[in-house]
Coordinates of all heavy atoms in Angstrom, one line a residue:
I1157 N 81.1 -105.5 -41.5 CA 80.8 -106.8 -42.1 C 79.8 -106.5 -43.3 O 78.9 -105.6 -43.2 CB 80.0 -107.7 -41.1 CG1 81.0 -108.2 -40.1 CG2 79.5 -109.0 -41.9 CD1 80.4 -109.1 -39.0
N1158 N 80.0 -107.2 -44.4 CA 79.1 -107.2 -45.5 C 78.5 -108.6 -45.7 O 79.2 -109.6 -45.8 CB 79.8 -106.8 -46.8 CG 80.4 -105.4 -46.7 OD1 81.6 -105.2 -46.9 ND2 79.6 -104.4 -46.5
V1159 N 77.2 -108.6 -45.8 CA 76.5 -109.9 -46.0 C 75.9 -109.8 -47.4 O 75.2 -108.9 -47.8 CB 75.3 -110.1 -45.0 CG1 74.6 -111.4 -45.3 CG2 75.8 -110.1 -43.6
S1160 N 76.3 -110.8 -48.3 CA 76.2 -110.6 -49.7 C 74.8 -110.9 -50.2 O 74.3 -110.3 -51.2 CB 77.2 -111.5 -50.5 OG 78.5 -111.1 -50.1
N1161 N 74.1 -111.9 -49.7 CA 72.9 -112.5 -50.3 C 71.8 -112.8 -49.4 O 71.2 -113.8 -49.4 CB 73.3 -113.7 -51.1 CG 72.2 -114.1 -52.1 OD1 71.5 -113.3 -52.7 ND2 72.1 -115.4 -52.3
S1162 N 71.5 -111.8 -48.5 CA 70.5 -112.1 -47.5 C 69.8 -110.8 -47.1 O 70.4 -109.8 -47.0 CB 71.0 -112.8 -46.3 OG 70.0 -112.9 -45.3
W1163 N 68.5 -110.9 -47.0 CA 67.8 -109.7 -46.5 C 67.9 -109.6 -44.9 O 67.7 -108.5 -44.4 CB 66.3 -109.8 -46.8 CG 65.7 -111.1 -46.2 CD1 65.6 -112.3 -46.8 CD2 65.1 -111.2 -44.9 NE1 65.0 -113.2 -46.0 CE2 64.7 -112.6 -44.8 CE3 64.9 -110.4 -43.8 CZ2 64.0 -113.1 -43.6 CZ3 64.2 -110.9 -42.7 CH2 63.8 -112.2 -42.6
N1164 N 68.4 -110.7 -44.3 CA 68.5 -110.7 -42.9 C 69.9 -110.3 -42.5 O 70.8 -111.1 -42.7 CB 68.2 -112.1 -42.3 CG 68.1 -112.1 -40.8 OD1 68.5 -111.2 -40.2 ND2 67.5 -113.2 -40.3
T1165 N 70.1 -109.1 -41.9 CA 71.4 -108.7 -41.5 C 71.6 -108.7 -40.0 O 72.5 -108.1 -39.5 CB 71.6 -107.2 -42.0 OG1 70.6 -106.4 -41.5 CG2 71.6 -107.2 -43.6
S1166 N 70.7 -109.4 -39.3 CA 70.8 -109.3 -37.9 C 71.6 -110.5 -37.3 O 71.6 -110.7 -36.1 CB 69.4 -109.3 -37.3 OG 68.7 -110.5 -37.7
Y1167 N 72.2 -111.4 -38.2 CA 72.9 -112.5 -37.7 C 74.0 -112.0 -36.8 O 74.7 -111.0 -37.1 CB 73.6 -113.3 -38.8 CG 72.6 -114.0 -39.7 CD1 72.7 -113.9 -41.1 CD2 71.6 -114.8 -39.2 CE1 71.9 -114.5 -41.9 CE2 70.7 -115.4 -40.0 CZ 70.8 -115.3 -41.4 OH 70.0 -115.9 -42.2
G1168 N 74.3 -112.7 -35.7 CA 75.4 -112.3 -34.8 C 76.6 -113.2 -35.2 O 76.6 -114.4 -35.0
H1169 N 77.6 -112.6 -35.8 CA 78.8 -113.3 -36.2 C 79.9 -113.1 -35.2 O 79.7 -112.2 -34.3 CB 79.2 -112.9 -37.6 CG 78.1 -113.0 -38.6 ND1 77.4 -114.1 -38.9 CD2 77.5 -112.0 -39.4 CE1 76.5 -113.9 -39.8 NE2 76.5 -112.6 -40.2
E1170 N 81.0 -113.8 -35.3 CA 82.0 -113.7 -34.3 C 83.4 -113.7 -34.9 O 83.7 -114.3 -36.0 CB 81.9 -114.9 -33.3 CG 80.6 -114.9 -32.5 CD 80.6 -116.1 -31.5 OE1 81.3 -117.1 -31.8 OE2 79.8 -116.0 -30.6
I1171 N 84.3 -113.0 -34.2 CA 85.7 -113.1 -34.5 C 86.3 -113.8 -33.3 O 86.2 -113.4 -32.1 CB 86.4 -111.7 -34.6 CG1 85.7 -110.9 -35.7 CG2 87.8 -111.8 -34.9 CD1 86.1 -109.4 -35.7
W1172 N 86.9 -115.0 -33.5 CA 87.5 -115.8 -32.5 C 89.0 -115.5 -32.4 O 89.7 -115.6 -33.4 CB 87.3 -117.3 -32.7 CG 85.8 -117.7 -32.6 CD1 84.8 -116.9 -32.4 CD2 85.3 -119.0 -32.7 NE1 83.6 -117.6 -32.3 CE2 83.9 -118.9 -32.5 CE3 85.9 -120.2 -32.9 CZ2 83.1 -120.0 -32.6 CZ3 85.1 -121.4 -32.9 CH2 83.7 -121.3 -32.8
V1173 N 89.5 -115.2 -31.3 CA 91.0 -115.0 -31.0 C 91.5 -116.3 -30.4 O 91.1 -116.7 -29.3 CB 91.2 -113.8 -30.1 CG1 92.7 -113.6 -30.0 CG2 90.6 -112.6 -30.7
L1174 N 92.4 -116.9 -31.1 CA 93.0 -118.2 -30.6 C 94.3 -117.9 -29.8 O 95.0 -116.9 -30.0 CB 93.3 -119.1 -31.8 CG 92.1 -119.4 -32.8 CD1 92.5 -120.4 -33.8 CD2 90.9 -119.8 -32.0
S1175 N 94.7 -118.9 -29.0 CA 96.0 -118.8 -28.4 C 97.1 -118.9 -29.4 O 96.9 -119.4 -30.5 CB 96.1 -120.0 -27.4 OG 96.1 -121.2 -28.0
R1176 N 98.2 -118.4 -29.0 CA 99.3 -118.4 -30.0 C 99.7 -119.8 -30.5 O 100.2 -120.0 -31.6 CB 100.6 -117.8 -29.4 CG 100.4 -116.3 -29.1 CD 100.2 -115.4 -30.3 NE 100.0 -114.0 -30.1 CZ 100.9 -113.1 -30.1 NH1 102.2 -113.5 -30.4 NH2 100.7 -111.8 -29.9
D1177 N 99.5 -120.8 -29.7 CA 99.8 -122.2 -30.1 C 98.6 -122.9 -30.7 O 98.6 -124.1 -31.0 CB 100.3 -123.0 -28.9 CG 99.3 -123.1 -27.8 OD1 98.2 -122.6 -27.9 OD2 99.7 -123.7 -26.7
L1178 N 97.5 -122.2 -30.9 CA 96.2 -122.7 -31.5 C 95.6 -123.8 -30.7 O 94.9 -124.6 -31.2 CB 96.5 -123.2 -32.9 CG 97.1 -122.2 -33.9 CD1 97.2 -122.8 -35.3 CD2 96.2 -120.9 -34.0
R1179 N 95.9 -123.9 -29.3 CA 95.4 -125.0 -28.5 C 94.0 -124.7 -28.0 O 93.3 -125.6 -27.6 CB 96.3 -125.2 -27.3 CG 97.8 -125.5 -27.7 CD 97.9 -126.8 -28.6 NE 97.4 -128.0 -27.9 CZ 97.4 -129.2 -28.4 NH1 97.7 -129.4 -29.7 NH2 96.9 -130.2 -27.7
Y1180 N 93.6 -123.4 -27.9 CA 92.3 -123.1 -27.4 C 91.8 -121.8 -27.9 O 92.6 -121.0 -28.4 CB 92.3 -123.1 -25.8 CG 93.3 -122.1 -25.2 CD1 92.9 -120.8 -25.0 CD2 94.6 -122.5 -24.9 CE1 93.8 -119.9 -24.4 CE2 95.5 -121.6 -24.4 CZ 95.1 -120.3 -24.1 OH 96.0 -119.4 -23.6
I1181 N 90.5 -121.5 -27.7 CA 90.0 -120.2 -28.0 C 90.1 -119.2 -26.8 O 89.6 -119.5 -25.8 CB 88.5 -120.3 -28.4 CG1 88.3 -121.3 -29.6 CG2 87.9 -119.0 -28.8 CD1 86.9 -121.6 -29.9

């Protein structure tokens, strides 16, 4: 991950995988 404009790089970001029909995470 690249964070463009912040000195704080400790944010916890997420990749969400959805169901094939997009009905739920």
Side-chain angles (χ1 to χ4, degrees):
I1157 292 177
N1158 298 122
V1159 180
S1160 301
N1161 194 32
S1162 175
W1163 58 270
N1164 189 346
T1165 59
S1166 62
Y1167 296 132
H1169 308 301
E1170 293 178 340
I1171 302 172
W1172 293 3
V1173 182
L1174 308 183
S1175 63
R1176 294 296 179 97
D1177 60 3
L1178 305 182
R1179 302 298 299 177
Y1180 58 88
I1181 301 172

